[in-house]
Amino acid sequence: MKPLKNDTYLRALMRQPTDYTPVWMMRQAGRYLPEYKATRAQAGDFMSLCRNAELACEVTLQPLRRFPLDAAILFSDILTIPDAMGLGLYFETGEGPRFERPVTCAADVQRIGIPDPEGELGYVMNAVRTIRRELQGEVPLIGFSGSPWTLATYMVEGGSSKAFTKIKKMMYAEPQTLHLLLDKLADSVTSYLNAQVAAGAQSLMIFDTWGGVLTPRDYNEFSLQYMAKIVDGLTRESDGRRVPVTLFTKNGGQWLEAIAATGCDAVGLDWTINIADAKRRVGDKVALQGNMDPSMLYASPERIEQEVASILEGFGHGPGHVFNLGHGIHLDVEPEHAGAFIESVHRLSRSYHAG
Ligand code: 1CP
């Protein structure tokens, strides 16, 4: 394996000095890139793209060919685990993900097993191995999973949701059933992420996209507790290097201290929190990732640059910041605007790292 040429992203996650602030974008591979649409059309549907290691590798590398990004992220989806549990994932055109067999009762939860990462999920590990080989040490590869709570919302709702009524009904009427499901998901996510590290992932991120719809008490009990259990069970070193872990709860700004106390290396921020406040609250306990509003990429490159400057100033001098959007890039953003964003981060951040 070729040695890593650019470790800026890994160093920032460990709060070690860097020459500039590293940057990558959530959902950096995807439909805002015409080359992605072409490869996806070649694969057929979305899951066929994920199951084809060569094509998944191709779309992972596409944004890196356009932009000087500081990390690559595995092209896959968080819903691979529920699919491997037998729920039958499919994508309705323009409608997002759906399950043929959602989880509706205790008996459904009892039937669920822990997927074998090199069995049903072997296609993901093959993609990780292929991407690591093709990256040739240019930048580190991020592996990822959904949080147990976020995966459970899709499994119980049967797809995307706005009000989360089915899973909240289970949470309040049958909490032991939901806890059994979350326990199985936590074990599945732990073995899935450890297998990604064994296959070559150099950093890990857990997406808790829907933790922010919970009350503070329920967030601890039904989401954070399970992420903490996963963090405890993860392989934290590979090839003699630390494998940093980032936790991202969308709309989780009010719980930063608790998230930082799980033992993760970094906390991902959405745009609803001021990064200067976030840094004051977590001190030097963890690194921070974020947090420009993805909609800012609709603005002019000049306006994007101003916003980048303001976030860099908010974080201030010194290491421990990975620049990112506060959530995934929108599918109708001009690729040139994403390019202007990345270039601004690299150029404007140098003065915050001097000396
Ligand atoms: O091509 C297409 O039409 C499919 C669109 C798409 C893509 C490009 C889906 C379906 N998933 C993905 C890839 C994906 N998903 C990545 C790839 C790597 C990269 O960042 O470049 C990642 C990290 C994810 C993670 C993911 N999937 C999350 C967590 C992060 C987030 O955005 O909050 C979630 C919630 C999903 C579910 C999902 N999969 C796909 C869609 C459209 C959705 C969201 C549905 C919803 O809003 O509920």
Side-chain angles (χ1 to χ4, degrees):
M1 201 68 82
K2 295 239 172 92
L4 192 54
K5 291 176 211 159
N6 174 359
D7 65 353
T8 314
Y9 162 77
L10 294 179
R11 294 179 61 83
L13 288 176
M14 292 178 293
R15 287 168 292 113
Q16 294 169 352
T18 56
D19 294 338
Y20 61 90
T21 304
V23 56
W24 68 281
M25 298 185 294
M26 283 194 255
R27 299 282 189 104
Q28 63 193 19
R31 280 180 289 180
Y32 75 107
L33 293 176
E35 57 271 35
Y36 170 83
K37 284 190 257 190
T39 309
R40 207 197 118 164
Q42 193 187 332
D45 59 8
F46 174 71
M47 282 311 286
S48 307
L49 178 53
C50 294
R51 287 179 198 280
N52 182 322
E54 298 302 324
L55 294 184
C57 174
E58 165 60 23
V59 294
T60 299
L61 299 183
Q62 283 170 351
L64 294 141
R65 292 189 195 116
R66 269 192 191 250
F67 313 122
L69 292 155
D70 295 291
I73 180 161
L74 162 68
F75 189 83
S76 187
D77 196 75
I78 62 165
L79 300 176
T80 51
I81 287 182
D83 184 53
M85 287 175 160
L87 273 64
L89 174 66
Y90 67 101
F91 284 85
E92 204 76 88
T93 332
E95 293 281 328
R98 288 263 206 291
F99 288 111
E100 283 165 24
R101 293 170 292 279
V103 169
T104 60
C105 60
D108 287 348
V109 174
Q110 276 148 13
R111 269 196 296 273
I112 287 174
I114 313 295
D116 173 3
E118 289 289 357
E120 306 92 294
L121 291 164
Y123 67 95
V124 179
M125 306 312 144
N126 289 339
V128 172
R129 284 184 280 265
T130 306
I131 298 163
R132 252 314 280 283
R133 190 187 68 223
E134 295 300 317
L135 266 174
Q136 299 187 27
E138 285 301 329
V139 291
L141 176 61
I142 306 170
F144 72 91
S145 171
S147 72
W149 164 258
T150 291
L151 294 178
T153 66
Y154 289 96
M155 295 169 76
V156 175
E157 298 289 335
S160 306
S161 178
K162 286 207 162 73
F164 302 95
T165 49
K166 293 193 181 101
I167 190 152
K168 288 197 174 182
K169 181 175 175 188
M170 186 183 275
M171 179 170 74
Y172 291 132
E174 258 190 282
Q176 41 334 323
T177 301
L178 183 54
H179 276 305
L180 180 61
L181 175 59
L182 293 168
D183 235 347
K184 289 186 175 188
L185 283 165
D187 288 348
S188 303
V189 169
T190 305
S191 76
Y192 182 59
L193 290 176
N194 283 337
Q196 290 184 32
V197 172
Q202 290 149 297
S203 159
L204 296 171
M205 175 150 170
I206 299 177
F207 290 95
D208 185 30
T209 306
W210 304 118
V213 305
L214 292 166
T215 67
R217 180 203 57 225
D218 296 328
Y219 175 69
N220 268 308
E221 184 178 340
F222 293 94
S223 186
L224 190 61
Q225 185 196 160
Y226 291 96
M227 290 199 283
K229 190 177 165 198
I230 294 165
V231 170
D232 269 347
L234 291 177
T235 313
R236 302 297 277 275
E237 217 189 276
S238 178
D239 293 337
R241 266 195 106 118
R242 184 160 179 93
V243 180
V245 179
T246 302
L247 299 188
F248 170 68
T249 293
K250 184 156 170 271
N251 257 299
Q254 60 174 321
W255 305 311
L256 275 191
E257 293 84 350
I259 301 170
T262 56
C264 64
D265 298 273
V267 177
L269 306 174
D270 71 14
W271 63 91
T272 62
I273 183 167
N274 180 300
I275 198 166
D277 292 338
K279 192 177 177 194
R280 232 172 275 124
R281 283 169 54 195
V282 299
D284 53 13
K285 208 171 159 63
V286 287
L288 293 174
Q289 174 179 285
N291 70 338
M292 192 174 89
D293 186 335
S295 296
M296 185 56 76
L297 293 181
Y298 293 128
S300 66
E302 295 70 35
R303 181 68 188 90
I304 293 169
E305 177 172 329
Q306 272 175 19
E307 192 70 4
V308 165
S310 143
I311 292 169
L312 286 171
E313 182 60 26
F315 186 87
H317 287 265
H321 184 200
V322 171
F323 218 112
N324 205 313
L325 305 173
H327 199 203
I329 186 168
H330 296 309
L331 52 83
D332 55 349
V333 156
E334 297 286 347
E336 293 70 28
H337 288 209
F341 162 66
I342 292 154
E343 190 276 326
S344 298
V345 173
H346 281 163
R347 177 166 40 83
L348 299 176
S349 65
R350 288 194 175 262
S351 66
Y352 292 94
H353 297 274

